[in-house]
Amino acid sequence: MKKILFLGFIALTALTVTSCSNDDVVEAVPQNQAIEFGTYLGRDAQARAAELTKTGLQGKGFGVFASYTNTDDWTTSAKPNFMFNQEVIYNTTSTAWEYSPIKYWPESAGKISFFAYGPYLNNETSPVATIETMTDNNVQGAPTVTFTQSTDVTKMVDFVAAVSMNETYDENKTNNTVEFTFKHELTRVSFSAKLGDGYYVENGE
């Protein structure tokens, strides 16, 4: 079985040198403004085993890590102190992404950075891909996930990831939904061979 390591979901450049001095999240009084998620699944020309489609993602859900940094931009000193591997599932009745417990946008223009991946991985519910390690909620920097891919081609996980950085609630916007554009992180490599003219086959062996 092959171990797949994702050291963070992104590479960030030109980060500011400021950071949140308080590691604990102190949520402001909610203003009935729950944080909601929307998704878009990017496509490319790469061939994949069991490619994760929009419908497939809706059926399996995705996980979210989030860092609250007060009024500062996210830096590598931030921790996933707002959400930690939060499972987000798709409600086919309301046609909306849902999670529990619900989180609310902070007041005072507080910034939250979101790191998402799919499908949601949990050793109790996702036996086809076993989690080896996952970032603790007190570790600084972008979240990391290490998992073991299934050796069964039909059960391999098509891992996707997305980020949404330094988001704040804007009362002047009609839609404050956090929109994730998921990108495929794995590539399938296929091999084919053609037998030479001098190769003899008897009885299919």
Side-chain angles (χ1 to χ4, degrees):
M1 301 184 81
K2 186 176 181 180
K3 293 183 179 179
I4 310 295
L5 173 65
F6 292 93
L7 289 178
F9 298 106
I10 55 171
L12 293 176
T13 58
L15 295 174
T16 61
V17 296
T18 59
S19 64
C20 178
S21 60
N22 185 0
D23 292 333
D24 296 325
V25 173
V26 179
E27 286 191 60
V29 178
Q31 300 176 320
N32 294 323
Q33 300 298 338
I35 295 176
E36 299 177 342
F37 298 114
T39 63
Y40 172 78
L41 193 61
R43 297 184 62 85
D44 57 33
Q46 297 288 347
R48 304 177 191 284
E51 181 178 357
L52 186 61
T53 62
K54 178 180 179 180
T55 301
L57 184 64
Q58 290 175 348
K60 297 179 180 180
F62 60 90
V64 177
F65 297 84
S67 300
Y68 171 64
T69 53
N70 291 323
T71 56
D72 296 327
D73 285 345
W74 187 92
T75 69
T76 54
S77 63
K79 300 177 182 179
N81 55 4
F82 191 78
M83 289 183 176
F84 180 77
N85 198 29
Q86 172 66 60
E87 182 179 15
V88 182
I89 60 175
Y90 188 76
N91 187 319
T92 56
T93 301
S94 64
T95 64
W97 290 99
E98 299 179 350
Y99 62 96
S100 181
I102 294 175
K103 293 283 189 175
Y104 295 87
W105 289 103
E107 294 180 341
S108 304
K111 295 182 179 181
I112 304 175
S113 294
F114 300 89
F115 302 79
Y117 74 91
Y120 178 74
L121 294 180
N122 182 296
N123 284 344
E124 296 180 358
T125 59
S126 304
V128 295
T130 304
I131 294 177
E132 300 294 337
T133 61
M134 179 174 288
T135 299
D136 290 332
N137 59 3
N138 62 349
V139 174
Q140 296 178 335
T144 67
V145 175
T146 307
F147 69 94
T148 300
Q149 185 71 280
S150 173
T151 56
D152 186 339
V153 175
T154 64
K155 296 181 179 179
M156 286 185 173
V157 173
D158 181 16
F159 193 89
V160 296
V163 297
S164 187
M165 305 300 293
N166 304 314
E167 296 284 354
T168 59
Y169 177 76
D170 185 351
E171 62 182 9
N172 296 317
K173 290 175 60 177
T174 57
N175 183 1
N176 280 275
T177 299
V178 177
E179 297 289 349
F180 289 126
T181 299
F182 284 97
K183 296 182 179 180
H184 298 275
E185 300 294 332
L186 301 180
T187 299
R188 182 180 67 185
V189 179
S190 301
F191 296 93
S192 61
K194 181 179 180 181
L195 300 177
D197 295 336
Y199 188 85
Y200 178 71
V201 178
E202 181 178 2
N203 298 325
E205 297 180 356

